Amino acid sequence: MATSVPALSARVGSIKSSAIRDLLSLTARDDVISLAGGLPATELIPVQRIREASADVLAESSAVQYSETSGWRTLREVVASRESTLMGRIVDASEVVITHGSQQALTLVAQALLDPGSIVVVDEPAYTGALQVFSIADADVRAIPITDDGMDTGELERRLVSGLRPALVHTVSNFHNPRGVTISERRRRHLAELADRYGFWILEDDPYGEIWFDAAPPAPIASYTDRVVRLSSASKILAPALRVGWLIAPKPVCDAVELLKQGADLCGSSMTQQMAAHMLADTEWLDGHLATLRTEYGIRATALRNALHDAFGDRATTSLAKGGMFVWTTFHDCTDTTALLTRAVENGVAFVPGRAFADTPAHGGSVRLCFASSPEPVLREAVNRLSAAHTLL
C-alpha cells in the first residue's frame, strides 16, 4: 500500500541547501584533502583545557539544569566585558544573548527584524549561511560588491540616494568569509553614518575577529552607532562542538530575540555555556591560546598563498590573508572553477567554487580555500593536486 507524503510548507519548498554543506558531504573521504570547509584546526582545539573546564563545571549540579533563555548569566557578563574592551564603551550583560552558535543568532535576528519582503543588503560574494537565513525569512536580498576594503559603502550610498530602503545590511566585518578582507575604519564609520541617516539595522557578523596575524582589526562597527546587532562565537577560538555563540544589541532587540528563542529551544546548554565562561574568563590562558592560533594560522596562510603562486604564477591572484581562515583565489585564464571542482575531487582535493557565494559569471573563476584546518605539508600537497587537476581541464 502506497504511503502518501504529507504536504510541507511553502517555506520548506523554497529553501535551498547550503552548497558548502552539500560539498562537505561529498568530500569527506580519507583520500581527499578538503580546503572547502571553514573548520578550525582539530589539533589546535584546546582539548585538555576543555576537559579541565568540564570537570570544574560538573562539580556543580547547576551545570545539567535548565538555565535562562538569554544564556548563563556569568557567560553574558564575560562576553559583555570582552565586548566593552573591543568597543571602547560599556556593554551591559542585558545587551547580550547567548545562542546555539552564531548561526542561531543570525536566524533569530532575521526573525526579529525582518518581515516577508523586507529588503536585506548583503556582500557580494556573501556568506552562504546568511543567504540561506534570509531566503527562509522571505527577504528581498540585494548585493553590494566588496573590495579589498570591505563592503563598497560608496555604492551603497548611491543606491540609498536612488531610493533603496533596506531593513538590514549584513556584512562579515573582519577577515571576510569568503573574500578574506576586512572592512576599513573609514568604511565602518561611513556605514554607521548611513544607518543613522536612513534608519536601517547593521548586522555585523564577526566570528573571525580574534584571529588576526600582525595587527588587530579596527574597532567594531557597533562602536560608531547603536543601530548594530553584532554576532560572534566561541566556535573558531575554542571549539565548534561547544555550540556557543552570542549577539550584542540594544536591549529591545535582545528582548525580542529572547521571546523568539523561547519558542525555538527554551534555553541553551548550561554545561557548555559554563565551560565557555570558564575559558573566556581565564584571560592569561586565553591570551596564550589565541597567540598560538594567530601564529600557526598565519604560517598556514602564508604557506598556502606561496604554494598557489608557485603553482599558478600570474594565471591566478590570491588574497593576502591578514587573519581569519580563508583566502580567495581568482584565475585569469578563463578557468571555470565549478567545472574544475569535479576534476579536483577526482584528483583528491576539494575547494568551494566562487559561484557558491554569488551565482554570477563574475565569480565563476574564483575559489575559496581554507588554510586553517591543514598543516603546511598538507597544504602544499593540496595545491599540487589542484594544479594537476587544472591541467586536465
Side-chain angles (χ1 to χ4, degrees):
M1 178 178 176
T3 302
S4 61
V5 178
L8 301 176
S9 71
R11 180 181 296 107
V12 173
S14 68
I15 297 173
K16 293 182 179 179
S17 179
S18 166
I20 297 175
R21 288 292 166 186
D22 291 346
L23 179 60
L24 291 179
S25 67
L26 292 173
T27 60
R29 300 191 333 236
D30 291 339
D31 61 331
V32 174
I33 300 173
S34 180
L35 306 182
L39 279 64
T42 302
E43 69 274 17
L44 297 179
I45 292 174
V47 176
Q48 179 58 38
R49 186 64 183 84
I50 292 170
R51 186 179 294 115
E52 293 169 2
S54 175
D56 289 342
V57 165
L58 288 172
E60 300 290 337
S61 59
S62 60
V64 291
Q65 185 55 276
Y66 290 113
S67 68
E68 297 176 76
T69 301
S70 57
W72 187 255
R73 186 176 299 273
T74 301
L75 177 56
R76 285 189 285 129
E77 291 170 350
V78 171
V79 169
S81 176
R82 291 177 60 78
E83 289 291 324
S84 296
T85 300
L86 288 172
M87 291 191 209
R89 67 170 179 82
I90 298 299
V91 176
D92 191 80
S94 65
E95 301 173 275
V96 178
V97 178
I98 306 300
T99 57
H100 193 74
S102 63
Q103 187 69 21
Q104 186 191 46
L106 183 58
T107 300
L108 294 172
V109 170
Q111 292 175 0
L113 299 182
L114 301 177
D115 292 314
S118 292
I119 295 174
V120 175
V121 169
V122 300
D123 300 317
E124 183 184 309
Y127 167 51
T128 57
L131 294 177
Q132 192 173 43
V133 165
F134 299 142
S135 173
I136 293 170
D138 199 20
D140 179 359
V141 177
R142 313 288 181 89
I144 297 288
I146 58 176
T147 70
D148 289 345
D149 290 328
M151 178 178 280
D152 186 346
T153 56
E155 174 62 21
L156 174 60
E157 181 172 21
R158 285 187 285 274
R159 297 193 196 182
L160 291 168
V161 169
S162 297
L164 180 69
R165 291 297 179 268
L168 185 70
V169 172
H170 173 271
T171 188
V172 180
S173 54
N174 297 317
F175 317 122
H176 187 271
N177 179 6
R179 279 279 278 109
V181 301
T182 294
I183 188 168
S184 66
E185 181 179 3
R186 178 181 62 83
R187 285 188 173 178
R188 289 172 195 241
R189 291 182 181 275
H190 190 202
L191 182 57
E193 291 167 3
L194 293 175
D196 289 339
R197 190 188 318 165
Y198 289 95
F200 57 80
W201 286 98
I202 301 169
L203 187 49
E204 181 181 13
D205 211 343
D206 184 23
Y208 311 106
E210 298 268 26
I211 310 175
W212 46 265
F213 300 154
D214 297 319
I221 303 169
S223 303
Y224 307 119
T225 176
D226 59 4
R227 298 197 63 83
V228 176
V229 179
R230 179 171 154 76
L231 311 184
S232 194
S233 167
S235 292
K236 305 302 187 292
I237 61 172
L238 296 180
L242 292 174
R243 304 314 301 136
V244 171
W246 51 83
L247 66 88
I248 297 90
K251 193 171 184 305
V253 176
C254 290
D255 291 344
V257 167
E258 185 176 351
L259 283 174
L260 291 163
K261 194 172 186 299
Q262 288 173 5
D265 65 2
L266 296 180
C267 67
S269 165
S270 301
M271 183 171 65
T272 60
Q273 289 182 22
Q274 289 184 54
M275 290 164 60
H278 270 245
M279 290 181 279
L280 293 175
D282 186 352
T283 54
E284 182 177 357
W285 170 82
L286 183 61
D287 288 347
H289 172 62
L290 289 173
T292 298
L293 290 183
R294 291 164 185 158
T295 298
E296 183 58 32
Y297 285 177
I299 290 170
R300 294 180 183 195
T302 300
L304 178 57
R305 194 166 185 268
N306 288 344
L308 288 164
H309 182 267
D310 291 344
F312 297 105
D314 293 338
R315 291 176 294 165
T317 301
T318 299
S319 61
L320 177 61
K322 297 181 179 180
M325 301 171 66
F326 307 107
V327 294
W328 181 257
T329 295
T330 299
F331 289 92
H332 306 303
D333 56 2
C334 299
T335 296
D336 178 346
T337 58
T338 301
L340 175 61
L341 177 61
T342 300
R343 294 289 190 185
V345 172
E346 291 172 354
N347 215 50
V349 64
F351 57 82
V352 185
R355 293 189 74 154
F357 305 97
D359 192 13
T360 63
H363 302 294
S366 299
V367 298
R368 188 198 75 176
L369 303 169
C370 176
F371 53 77
S373 51
S374 302
E376 287 182 81
V378 176
L379 292 171
R380 286 194 294 269
E381 175 59 23
V383 174
N384 288 339
R385 296 182 185 187
L386 179 62
S387 178
H390 187 267
T391 64
L392 300 174
L393 284 180

